[in-house]
mmCIF file of all heavy atoms in Angstrom:
data_model
loop_
_atom_site.group_PDB
_atom_site.id
_atom_site.type_symbol
_atom_site.label_atom_id
_atom_site.label_comp_id
_atom_site.label_asym_id
_atom_site.label_seq_id
_atom_site.Cartn_x
_atom_site.Cartn_y
_atom_site.Cartn_z
ATOM 1 N N LEU M 154 15.307 49.846 -58.006
ATOM 2 C CA LEU M 154 16.453 49.313 -58.733
ATOM 3 C C LEU M 154 16.166 49.313 -60.227
ATOM 4 O O LEU M 154 17.077 49.489 -61.031
ATOM 5 C CB LEU M 154 16.775 47.893 -58.260
ATOM 6 C CG LEU M 154 17.059 47.745 -56.770
ATOM 7 C CD1 LEU M 154 17.342 46.297 -56.423
ATOM 8 C CD2 LEU M 154 18.220 48.632 -56.348
ATOM 9 N N GLN M 155 14.918 49.094 -60.584
ATOM 10 C CA GLN M 155 14.466 49.193 -61.974
ATOM 11 C C GLN M 155 13.026 49.683 -61.974
ATOM 12 O O GLN M 155 12.235 49.306 -61.110
ATOM 13 C CB GLN M 155 14.484 47.832 -62.680
ATOM 14 C CG GLN M 155 15.830 47.295 -63.021
ATOM 15 C CD GLN M 155 15.722 45.995 -63.813
ATOM 16 O OE1 GLN M 155 14.669 45.611 -64.317
ATOM 17 N NE2 GLN M 155 16.835 45.309 -63.930
ATOM 18 N N ARG M 156 12.720 50.510 -62.954
ATOM 19 C CA ARG M 156 11.336 50.953 -63.152
ATOM 20 C C ARG M 156 11.162 51.184 -64.633
ATOM 21 O O ARG M 156 11.796 52.084 -65.195
ATOM 22 C CB ARG M 156 11.053 52.201 -62.340
ATOM 23 C CG ARG M 156 9.589 52.522 -62.298
ATOM 24 C CD ARG M 156 9.136 53.474 -61.245
ATOM 25 N NE ARG M 156 10.071 54.463 -60.781
ATOM 26 C CZ ARG M 156 9.776 55.349 -59.849
ATOM 27 N NH1 ARG M 156 8.594 55.362 -59.297
ATOM 28 N NH2 ARG M 156 10.666 56.229 -59.483
ATOM 29 N N VAL M 157 10.342 50.357 -65.258
ATOM 30 C CA VAL M 157 10.158 50.401 -66.713
ATOM 31 C C VAL M 157 8.673 50.547 -67.003
ATOM 32 O O VAL M 157 7.849 49.819 -66.444
ATOM 33 C CB VAL M 157 10.708 49.105 -67.370
ATOM 34 C CG1 VAL M 157 10.439 49.106 -68.848
ATOM 35 C CG2 VAL M 157 12.187 48.948 -67.072
ATOM 36 N N ASN M 158 8.345 51.471 -67.892
ATOM 37 C CA ASN M 158 6.962 51.663 -68.342
ATOM 38 C C ASN M 158 6.937 51.691 -69.860
ATOM 39 O O ASN M 158 7.832 52.252 -70.495
ATOM 40 C CB ASN M 158 6.376 52.979 -67.806
ATOM 41 C CG ASN M 158 6.083 52.896 -66.328
ATOM 42 O OD1 ASN M 158 5.428 51.976 -65.879
ATOM 43 N ND2 ASN M 158 6.586 53.862 -65.573
ATOM 44 N N GLY M 159 5.920 51.087 -70.436
ATOM 45 C CA GLY M 159 5.720 51.152 -71.884
ATOM 46 C C GLY M 159 6.673 50.290 -72.697
ATOM 47 O O GLY M 159 6.919 50.582 -73.864
ATOM 48 N N ALA M 160 7.207 49.214 -72.114
ATOM 49 C CA ALA M 160 8.111 48.332 -72.860
ATOM 50 C C ALA M 160 7.301 47.412 -73.774
ATOM 51 O O ALA M 160 6.169 47.058 -73.471
ATOM 52 C CB ALA M 160 8.948 47.500 -71.898
ATOM 53 N N ASP M 161 7.915 47.020 -74.876
ATOM 54 C CA ASP M 161 7.217 46.144 -75.813
ATOM 55 C C ASP M 161 7.492 44.665 -75.557
ATOM 56 O O ASP M 161 7.114 43.812 -76.353
ATOM 57 C CB ASP M 161 7.584 46.509 -77.257
ATOM 58 C CG ASP M 161 9.069 46.385 -77.524
ATOM 59 O OD1 ASP M 161 9.829 46.129 -76.578
ATOM 60 O OD2 ASP M 161 9.471 46.554 -78.688
ATOM 61 N N ARG M 162 8.169 44.352 -74.469
ATOM 62 C CA ARG M 162 8.449 42.970 -74.110
ATOM 63 C C ARG M 162 8.355 42.807 -72.599
ATOM 64 O O ARG M 162 8.454 43.779 -71.854
ATOM 65 C CB ARG M 162 9.841 42.555 -74.593
ATOM 66 C CG ARG M 162 10.984 43.332 -73.957
ATOM 67 C CD ARG M 162 12.353 42.893 -74.408
ATOM 68 N NE ARG M 162 12.780 41.592 -73.964
ATOM 69 C CZ ARG M 162 13.225 41.300 -72.748
ATOM 70 N NH1 ARG M 162 13.269 42.229 -71.828
ATOM 71 N NH2 ARG M 162 13.617 40.100 -72.438
ATOM 72 N N PRO M 163 8.181 41.548 -72.120
ATOM 73 C CA PRO M 163 8.134 41.325 -70.665
ATOM 74 C C PRO M 163 9.472 41.630 -70.001
ATOM 75 O O PRO M 163 10.465 41.912 -70.668
ATOM 76 C CB PRO M 163 7.800 39.834 -70.549
ATOM 77 C CG PRO M 163 7.235 39.443 -71.864
ATOM 78 C CD PRO M 163 7.876 40.347 -72.879
ATOM 79 N N TRP M 164 9.503 41.508 -68.698
ATOM 80 C CA TRP M 164 10.677 41.824 -67.895
ATOM 81 C C TRP M 164 11.841 40.882 -68.183
ATOM 82 O O TRP M 164 11.682 39.817 -68.753
ATOM 83 C CB TRP M 164 10.318 41.797 -66.421
ATOM 84 C CG TRP M 164 9.786 40.470 -65.929
ATOM 85 C CD1 TRP M 164 10.500 39.474 -65.348
ATOM 86 C CD2 TRP M 164 8.439 40.007 -65.979
ATOM 87 N NE1 TRP M 164 9.687 38.416 -65.024
ATOM 88 C CE2 TRP M 164 8.413 38.717 -65.397
ATOM 89 C CE3 TRP M 164 7.244 40.548 -66.439
ATOM 90 C CZ2 TRP M 164 7.245 37.967 -65.272
ATOM 91 C CZ3 TRP M 164 6.093 39.794 -66.324
ATOM 92 C CH2 TRP M 164 6.104 38.525 -65.753
ATOM 93 N N PHE M 165 13.031 41.308 -67.760
ATOM 94 C CA PHE M 165 14.241 40.507 -67.921
ATOM 95 C C PHE M 165 14.198 39.296 -66.998
ATOM 96 O O PHE M 165 13.397 39.234 -66.076
ATOM 97 C CB PHE M 165 15.481 41.356 -67.620
ATOM 98 C CG PHE M 165 15.607 42.552 -68.527
ATOM 99 C CD1 PHE M 165 15.310 43.825 -68.055
ATOM 100 C CD2 PHE M 165 16.005 42.399 -69.834
ATOM 101 C CE1 PHE M 165 15.419 44.929 -68.881
ATOM 102 C CE2 PHE M 165 16.122 43.495 -70.671
ATOM 103 C CZ PHE M 165 15.824 44.762 -70.197
#
Side-chain angles (χ1 to χ4, degrees):
L154 303 179
Q155 287 184 13
R156 191 163 28 180
V157 176
N158 287 309
D161 60 354
R162 63 178 291 283
W164 59 94
F165 300 105

